[in-house]
Amino acid sequence: MTIIKKIFFDSFFVCSFIFAFLCFFIMIFYAKISLDYDFLYSCFNAVSFKTIFLLLLFMLIICALQNANFLEFLCYLCLKKINNKRALIWLLVMLTFFLSMFITNDVALLSFVPFALILLNKIKADKIIIFTLVMLSLAANLGSMLTPFGNPQNMFLFTHYSLSFNDFFQTAFKYCLLAFILLNICIFCFVKNEKIPHIKIDIKINKKIIFLNLFLFLLALLCIFSFLNLYFVLFVVILILFFTQKEVFLKLDYALLFSFINLFLAVFFLSKIINYEIKNIFISSIVISFFISNVSASIFLSNFTNDFKDIFLGVNIAACTSLISSMANLIAFKFYLTQKNHNKKNYLLSYTYFSTAFFILLILFYYI
């Protein structure tokens, strides 16, 4: 019952459901579609179940790694010799940037934002909490664009266009490199090189469970490269986790999976209404992402073009626009609001300042 409550009280699920329902209502009213068997079959085909199952596979494994305290343990290893604020912030941002390529932008923030808040509160660095969370958001969004499994829209585009990993990597690499440089410049310019006291962190780990989860993660990566069958690996992962880490199934974000189904259906309904050629895919993907998220924009625009590059770059760069353009932005903001002395205005101003700067530079880089 708790899982069902979590799904129906999840804001992203509720918004996606309302969006899908409105699109369905508009389609019925304007397009006059008959609700027969053929229509229902088309609805079923409109959902990219390969993307859903791929997302489920990685979510299960990352949730298992989180449950085993693996990500926190990585941080602990890195923080042993940290003795100044700039190095601490740099480490948190870089870990988020690079790990988001493998564990998705949302999961990276779900893992490191709470951890960053604990560390910053321990060293009484209240003044740089907002800056750090904004940098983490940008790092997660822009780092995750490098791999097909870095974020949900990448997973969809990779499977929808049947791309090779090499094509994907070549398209994203220079933009990720630019983002990496910009993040380092920001940290160097806005964080003082002040000494901090040694941080003690008590983390319990089970090495056998961690190695098992890393093995499962390797199997999932082999699915991406088409060395193994996705459905077979998903079955194996579910079976192993059921007998070794049942609690993972209770912690999984099922709302995200159902939200994706809502978005697939919403876009299908919209495609029945809108039947015109979109001339500038890159600009359209940015504008649409600004209002309905980059995931929705990816699914919607894929119905109108075979141009993977412009959709991919547009929706990923658009993550640096509004808070709703990427769910990762909302995750960081949501965690910030849990702080006792939070200031929404200051956070939004800071986010707008840095995200706009990143967005402008990435757009200029696109047109050079």
Side-chain angles (χ1 to χ4, degrees), residues 49-67:
F49 285 103
K50 186 177 181 181
T51 302
I52 298 294
F53 289 134
L54 187 63
L55 185 60
L56 172 61
L57 176 62
F58 277 94
M59 285 174 64
L60 279 169
I61 297 170
I62 298 306
C63 190
L65 284 169
Q66 279 183 295
N67 190 57

PDB file of all heavy atoms in Angstrom, residues 49-67:
ATOM      1  N   PHE A  49       8.575   0.241 -24.548  1.00  0.00           N
ATOM      2  CA  PHE A  49       8.818  -0.633 -23.410  1.00  0.00           C
ATOM      3  C   PHE A  49      10.296  -1.003 -23.270  1.00  0.00           C
ATOM      4  O   PHE A  49      10.766  -1.305 -22.169  1.00  0.00           O
ATOM      5  CB  PHE A  49       7.965  -1.900 -23.516  1.00  0.00           C
ATOM      6  CG  PHE A  49       6.521  -1.662 -23.199  1.00  0.00           C
ATOM      7  CD1 PHE A  49       5.580  -1.568 -24.209  1.00  0.00           C
ATOM      8  CD2 PHE A  49       6.111  -1.502 -21.879  1.00  0.00           C
ATOM      9  CE1 PHE A  49       4.249  -1.329 -23.914  1.00  0.00           C
ATOM     10  CE2 PHE A  49       4.776  -1.265 -21.566  1.00  0.00           C
ATOM     11  CZ  PHE A  49       3.846  -1.177 -22.594  1.00  0.00           C
ATOM     12  N   LYS A  50      11.022  -0.944 -24.369  1.00  0.00           N
ATOM     13  CA  LYS A  50      12.465  -1.198 -24.291  1.00  0.00           C
ATOM     14  C   LYS A  50      13.132  -0.136 -23.418  1.00  0.00           C
ATOM     15  O   LYS A  50      13.988  -0.441 -22.583  1.00  0.00           O
ATOM     16  CB  LYS A  50      13.083  -1.205 -25.689  1.00  0.00           C
ATOM     17  CG  LYS A  50      14.551  -1.607 -25.689  1.00  0.00           C
ATOM     18  CD  LYS A  50      15.105  -1.685 -27.099  1.00  0.00           C
ATOM     19  CE  LYS A  50      16.572  -2.108 -27.068  1.00  0.00           C
ATOM     20  NZ  LYS A  50      17.158  -2.182 -28.442  1.00  0.00           N
ATOM     21  N   THR A  51      12.700   1.120 -23.600  1.00  0.00           N
ATOM     22  CA  THR A  51      13.226   2.219 -22.783  1.00  0.00           C
ATOM     23  C   THR A  51      12.805   2.052 -21.328  1.00  0.00           C
ATOM     24  O   THR A  51      13.611   2.236 -20.407  1.00  0.00           O
ATOM     25  CB  THR A  51      12.717   3.572 -23.308  1.00  0.00           C
ATOM     26  OG1 THR A  51      13.111   3.731 -24.671  1.00  0.00           O
ATOM     27  CG2 THR A  51      13.274   4.718 -22.488  1.00  0.00           C
ATOM     28  N   ILE A  52      11.548   1.676 -21.098  1.00  0.00           N
ATOM     29  CA  ILE A  52      11.025   1.489 -19.744  1.00  0.00           C
ATOM     30  C   ILE A  52      11.798   0.391 -19.015  1.00  0.00           C
ATOM     31  O   ILE A  52      12.219   0.561 -17.862  1.00  0.00           O
ATOM     32  CB  ILE A  52       9.519   1.132 -19.774  1.00  0.00           C
ATOM     33  CG1 ILE A  52       8.697   2.271 -20.401  1.00  0.00           C
ATOM     34  CG2 ILE A  52       9.019   0.799 -18.374  1.00  0.00           C
ATOM     35  CD1 ILE A  52       8.690   3.542 -19.605  1.00  0.00           C
ATOM     36  N   PHE A  53      12.012  -0.734 -19.704  1.00  0.00           N
ATOM     37  CA  PHE A  53      12.703  -1.855 -19.070  1.00  0.00           C
ATOM     38  C   PHE A  53      14.188  -1.557 -18.851  1.00  0.00           C
ATOM     39  O   PHE A  53      14.786  -2.018 -17.876  1.00  0.00           O
ATOM     40  CB  PHE A  53      12.528  -3.130 -19.901  1.00  0.00           C
ATOM     41  CG  PHE A  53      11.136  -3.697 -19.858  1.00  0.00           C
ATOM     42  CD1 PHE A  53      10.499  -4.116 -21.016  1.00  0.00           C
ATOM     43  CD2 PHE A  53      10.456  -3.793 -18.654  1.00  0.00           C
ATOM     44  CE1 PHE A  53       9.208  -4.632 -20.974  1.00  0.00           C
ATOM     45  CE2 PHE A  53       9.168  -4.310 -18.596  1.00  0.00           C
ATOM     46  CZ  PHE A  53       8.552  -4.729 -19.757  1.00  0.00           C
ATOM     47  N   LEU A  54      14.774  -0.795 -19.762  1.00  0.00           N
ATOM     48  CA  LEU A  54      16.177  -0.399 -19.593  1.00  0.00           C
ATOM     49  C   LEU A  54      16.318   0.514 -18.376  1.00  0.00           C
ATOM     50  O   LEU A  54      17.241   0.365 -17.569  1.00  0.00           O
ATOM     51  CB  LEU A  54      16.676   0.316 -20.856  1.00  0.00           C
ATOM     52  CG  LEU A  54      18.167   0.653 -20.906  1.00  0.00           C
ATOM     53  CD1 LEU A  54      19.006  -0.620 -20.889  1.00  0.00           C
ATOM     54  CD2 LEU A  54      18.478   1.473 -22.156  1.00  0.00           C
ATOM     55  N   LEU A  55      15.383   1.447 -18.255  1.00  0.00           N
ATOM     56  CA  LEU A  55      15.380   2.349 -17.108  1.00  0.00           C
ATOM     57  C   LEU A  55      15.175   1.562 -15.810  1.00  0.00           C
ATOM     58  O   LEU A  55      15.853   1.802 -14.801  1.00  0.00           O
ATOM     59  CB  LEU A  55      14.276   3.393 -17.280  1.00  0.00           C
ATOM     60  CG  LEU A  55      14.184   4.498 -16.224  1.00  0.00           C
ATOM     61  CD1 LEU A  55      15.468   5.306 -16.162  1.00  0.00           C
ATOM     62  CD2 LEU A  55      13.001   5.409 -16.510  1.00  0.00           C
ATOM     63  N   LEU A  56      14.258   0.602 -15.837  1.00  0.00           N
ATOM     64  CA  LEU A  56      13.992  -0.239 -14.671  1.00  0.00           C
ATOM     65  C   LEU A  56      15.238  -1.015 -14.270  1.00  0.00           C
ATOM     66  O   LEU A  56      15.569  -1.110 -13.070  1.00  0.00           O
ATOM     67  CB  LEU A  56      12.848  -1.213 -14.983  1.00  0.00           C
ATOM     68  CG  LEU A  56      12.567  -2.302 -13.929  1.00  0.00           C
ATOM     69  CD1 LEU A  56      12.172  -1.671 -12.597  1.00  0.00           C
ATOM     70  CD2 LEU A  56      11.482  -3.247 -14.430  1.00  0.00           C
ATOM     71  N   LEU A  57      15.943  -1.544 -15.251  1.00  0.00           N
ATOM     72  CA  LEU A  57      17.156  -2.323 -14.989  1.00  0.00           C
ATOM     73  C   LEU A  57      18.196  -1.500 -14.233  1.00  0.00           C
ATOM     74  O   LEU A  57      18.709  -1.925 -13.194  1.00  0.00           O
ATOM     75  CB  LEU A  57      17.738  -2.830 -16.315  1.00  0.00           C
ATOM     76  CG  LEU A  57      19.074  -3.578 -16.230  1.00  0.00           C
ATOM     77  CD1 LEU A  57      18.926  -4.842 -15.391  1.00  0.00           C
ATOM     78  CD2 LEU A  57      19.568  -3.918 -17.636  1.00  0.00           C
ATOM     79  N   PHE A  58      18.488  -0.306 -14.733  1.00  0.00           N
ATOM     80  CA  PHE A  58      19.489   0.535 -14.090  1.00  0.00           C
ATOM     81  C   PHE A  58      19.003   1.072 -12.742  1.00  0.00           C
ATOM     82  O   PHE A  58      19.789   1.207 -11.801  1.00  0.00           O
ATOM     83  CB  PHE A  58      19.897   1.686 -15.016  1.00  0.00           C
ATOM     84  CG  PHE A  58      20.937   1.292 -16.020  1.00  0.00           C
ATOM     85  CD1 PHE A  58      20.572   0.879 -17.297  1.00  0.00           C
ATOM     86  CD2 PHE A  58      22.281   1.304 -15.693  1.00  0.00           C
ATOM     87  CE1 PHE A  58      21.531   0.500 -18.220  1.00  0.00           C
ATOM     88  CE2 PHE A  58      23.242   0.932 -16.607  1.00  0.00           C
ATOM     89  CZ  PHE A  58      22.873   0.521 -17.877  1.00  0.00           C
ATOM     90  N   MET A  59      17.721   1.365 -12.657  1.00  0.00           N
ATOM     91  CA  MET A  59      17.182   1.838 -11.381  1.00  0.00           C
ATOM     92  C   MET A  59      17.318   0.776 -10.295  1.00  0.00           C
ATOM     93  O   MET A  59      17.664   1.076  -9.146  1.00  0.00           O
ATOM     94  CB  MET A  59      15.712   2.238 -11.555  1.00  0.00           C
ATOM     95  CG  MET A  59      15.510   3.560 -12.273  1.00  0.00           C
ATOM     96  SD  MET A  59      13.765   3.907 -12.605  1.00  0.00           S
ATOM     97  CE  MET A  59      13.115   4.040 -10.941  1.00  0.00           C
ATOM     98  N   LEU A  60      17.057  -0.474 -10.637  1.00  0.00           N
ATOM     99  CA  LEU A  60      17.179  -1.568  -9.680  1.00  0.00           C
ATOM    100  C   LEU A  60      18.612  -1.703  -9.173  1.00  0.00           C
ATOM    101  O   LEU A  60      18.858  -1.810  -7.965  1.00  0.00           O
ATOM    102  CB  LEU A  60      16.741  -2.885 -10.335  1.00  0.00           C
ATOM    103  CG  LEU A  60      15.243  -3.161 -10.410  1.00  0.00           C
ATOM    104  CD1 LEU A  60      14.969  -4.352 -11.323  1.00  0.00           C
ATOM    105  CD2 LEU A  60      14.671  -3.422  -9.024  1.00  0.00           C
ATOM    106  N   ILE A  61      19.553  -1.673 -10.104  1.00  0.00           N
ATOM    107  CA  ILE A  61      20.956  -1.882  -9.732  1.00  0.00           C
ATOM    108  C   ILE A  61      21.498  -0.697  -8.933  1.00  0.00           C
ATOM    109  O   ILE A  61      22.184  -0.879  -7.922  1.00  0.00           O
ATOM    110  CB  ILE A  61      21.816  -2.120 -10.995  1.00  0.00           C
ATOM    111  CG1 ILE A  61      21.359  -3.405 -11.694  1.00  0.00           C
ATOM    112  CG2 ILE A  61      23.295  -2.224 -10.618  1.00  0.00           C
ATOM    113  CD1 ILE A  61      21.957  -3.618 -13.056  1.00  0.00           C
ATOM    114  N   ILE A  62      21.168   0.515  -9.364  1.00  0.00           N
ATOM    115  CA  ILE A  62      21.642   1.697  -8.635  1.00  0.00           C
ATOM    116  C   ILE A  62      21.014   1.772  -7.254  1.00  0.00           C
ATOM    117  O   ILE A  62      21.670   2.132  -6.271  1.00  0.00           O
ATOM    118  CB  ILE A  62      21.335   2.980  -9.439  1.00  0.00           C
ATOM    119  CG1 ILE A  62      22.076   2.950 -10.780  1.00  0.00           C
ATOM    120  CG2 ILE A  62      21.745   4.211  -8.644  1.00  0.00           C
ATOM    121  CD1 ILE A  62      23.561   2.714 -10.673  1.00  0.00           C
ATOM    122  N   CYS A  63      19.761   1.396  -7.171  1.00  0.00           N
ATOM    123  CA  CYS A  63      19.084   1.366  -5.869  1.00  0.00           C
ATOM    124  C   CYS A  63      19.760   0.348  -4.955  1.00  0.00           C
ATOM    125  O   CYS A  63      19.925   0.584  -3.749  1.00  0.00           O
ATOM    126  CB  CYS A  63      17.608   1.022  -6.060  1.00  0.00           C
ATOM    127  SG  CYS A  63      16.610   1.225  -4.573  1.00  0.00           S
ATOM    128  N   ALA A  64      20.177  -0.767  -5.525  1.00  0.00           N
ATOM    129  CA  ALA A  64      20.877  -1.793  -4.750  1.00  0.00           C
ATOM    130  C   ALA A  64      22.234  -1.282  -4.277  1.00  0.00           C
ATOM    131  O   ALA A  64      22.642  -1.528  -3.136  1.00  0.00           O
ATOM    132  CB  ALA A  64      21.054  -3.056  -5.598  1.00  0.00           C
ATOM    133  N   LEU A  65      22.942  -0.559  -5.140  1.00  0.00           N
ATOM    134  CA  LEU A  65      24.237   0.019  -4.763  1.00  0.00           C
ATOM    135  C   LEU A  65      24.065   1.080  -3.674  1.00  0.00           C
ATOM    136  O   LEU A  65      24.874   1.173  -2.745  1.00  0.00           O
ATOM    137  CB  LEU A  65      24.913   0.630  -5.996  1.00  0.00           C
ATOM    138  CG  LEU A  65      25.538  -0.373  -6.982  1.00  0.00           C
ATOM    139  CD1 LEU A  65      25.933   0.322  -8.266  1.00  0.00           C
ATOM    140  CD2 LEU A  65      26.745  -1.059  -6.356  1.00  0.00           C
ATOM    141  N   GLN A  66      23.008   1.862  -3.797  1.00  0.00           N
ATOM    142  CA  GLN A  66      22.710   2.859  -2.762  1.00  0.00           C
ATOM    143  C   GLN A  66      22.400   2.160  -1.432  1.00  0.00           C
ATOM    144  O   GLN A  66      22.861   2.592  -0.371  1.00  0.00           O
ATOM    145  CB  GLN A  66      21.505   3.705  -3.177  1.00  0.00           C
ATOM    146  CG  GLN A  66      21.829   4.822  -4.153  1.00  0.00           C
ATOM    147  CD  GLN A  66      20.597   5.645  -4.447  1.00  0.00           C
ATOM    148  OE1 GLN A  66      19.633   5.156  -5.035  1.00  0.00           O
ATOM    149  NE2 GLN A  66      20.612   6.894  -4.043  1.00  0.00           N
ATOM    150  N   ASN A  67      21.615   1.117  -1.520  1.00  0.00           N
ATOM    151  CA  ASN A  67      21.218   0.381  -0.328  1.00  0.00           C
ATOM    152  C   ASN A  67      22.424  -0.221   0.389  1.00  0.00           C
ATOM    153  O   ASN A  67      22.425  -0.383   1.611  1.00  0.00           O
ATOM    154  CB  ASN A  67      20.234  -0.734  -0.723  1.00  0.00           C
ATOM    155  CG  ASN A  67      19.577  -1.385   0.470  1.00  0.00           C
ATOM    156  OD1 ASN A  67      18.949  -0.719   1.274  1.00  0.00           O
ATOM    157  ND2 ASN A  67      19.745  -2.692   0.593  1.00  0.00           N
TER     158      ASN A  67
END
